[in-house]
Amino acid sequence: MTETALKILHEGWGLMLLRGAAMTMLISCFGMALGLLIGIAGATVKVSGARFASLLVSGYTTIVRSIPELLIIYLLFFGSVQPVAELADRLGWEEAMTSWFPALIGVLAIGLISGSYSVEVFRGALNAIPRGQIEAAKAVGMSNWLRLKRIVIPQMFFYALPGTNNVWQTALKDTALISLVGLVEIMRAAVLGAAATRESLILYLMAGALYFVIGAGSQGVFLLAERHYGRGMKGH
């Protein structure tokens, strides 16, 4: 098996997998960033008490979380590929559309999916902040911005970190589904390599190893973040 693995690497499939890993990280990071923005905005709306806006956010989270991730990707892809292709044809961007359209769909899909879960993660984090601290800050004359900077934001991120870690790990694995619309990430690179070399087991083991390395590295980053934001909060 070792000789076969070295042969696969020598033929360039190792580099293909690494490029796929880079694409996986790119889609995951940008998609998760979009999801975090959606999550924070949605959570803020839900805790604000604005009834109509809260109903809209609840509708979004319920719908997205009830539909399989693959179906969301298909709806986004097949629902927009025709108008985007026509626009690209008019502007002369056919090559760019072919290269980047699956990636854009991936970012949007991961953002919408992770955002639907992040809303509840951040809503719980905001509700976990002791109300007494907010009242005390108001009593001593802190401005809204100063309360956000010194009390709300640091604690919100601290309380949201465990849930955000789970959402990130799910988003990382969801990128494998985007390979079905043509994106060459880790899983797609492994499928192509397996078809060309007929060494499916080894290629899929390599893909699994890359996912493990990225996932384990991510866990370390989240642990460091928890230590950073948890300074001075051991009593909570």
Side-chain angles (χ1 to χ4, degrees), residues 116-129:
S116 67
Y117 291 96
S118 295
V119 167
E120 295 305 317
V121 169
F122 282 98
R123 183 183 68 82
L126 288 171
N127 287 332
I129 300 173

Side-chain angles (χ1 to χ4, degrees), residues 11-231:
E11 291 176 353
W13 292 107
L15 182 58
M16 173 71 85
L17 285 169
L18 290 177
R19 289 175 178 171
M23 181 58 72
T24 292
M25 285 297 298
L26 182 70
I27 299 301
S28 299
C29 288
F30 279 98
M32 190 66 185
L34 176 59
L36 290 177
L37 290 176
I38 294 173
I40 294 172
T44 302
V45 168
K46 294 197 77 171
V47 301
S48 69
R51 183 169 178 77
F52 180 71
S54 294
L55 287 174
L56 290 177
V57 174
S58 295
Y60 152 69
T61 58
T62 301
I63 291 171
V64 174
R65 292 167 70 174
S66 300
I67 298 175
E69 286 87 348
L70 181 57
L71 180 55
I72 291 174
I73 294 169
Y74 279 162
L75 289 173
L76 290 173
F77 182 81
F78 293 108
S80 59
V81 64
Q82 187 62 35
V84 170
E86 292 176 357
L87 178 62
D89 183 58
R90 292 177 184 175
L91 299 176
W93 294 349
E94 296 91 342
E95 184 176 348
M97 184 267 185
T98 303
S99 301
W100 288 103
F101 182 66
L104 293 175
I105 291 296
V107 170
L108 183 58
I110 295 298
L112 289 175
I113 294 166
S114 62
S116 67
Y117 291 96
S118 295
V119 167
E120 295 305 317
V121 169
F122 282 98
R123 183 183 68 82
L126 288 171
N127 287 332
I129 300 173
R131 296 297 97 187
Q133 294 185 13
I134 306 297
E135 296 301 324
K138 290 180 180 178
V140 299
M142 274 193 187
S143 64
N144 290 336
W145 167 246
L146 199 56
R147 289 199 302 272
L148 282 173
K149 179 181 178 182
R150 293 187 177 180
I151 299 174
V152 176
I153 293 177
Q155 293 191 71
M156 178 187 71
F157 278 111
F158 174 73
Y159 289 124
L161 276 171
T164 302
N165 186 8
N166 291 333
V167 175
W168 162 258
Q169 297 295 338
T170 301
L172 187 64
K173 289 180 285 188
D174 281 346
T175 57
L177 299 174
I178 304 168
S179 65
L180 297 175
V181 295
L183 183 72
V184 182
E185 40 63 74
I186 294 176
M187 198 63 214
R188 180 65 174 170
V191 169
L192 293 173
T197 64
R198 298 186 178 181
E199 295 291 347
S200 302
L201 178 61
I202 295 177
L203 265 299
Y204 292 145
L205 284 173
M206 288 179 176
L210 283 174
Y211 279 116
F212 173 77
V213 169
I214 296 173
S218 301
Q219 290 282 7
V221 172
F222 275 96
L223 285 175
L224 291 175
E226 286 186 34
R227 290 179 184 175
H228 172 75
Y229 284 105
R231 290 178 300 179

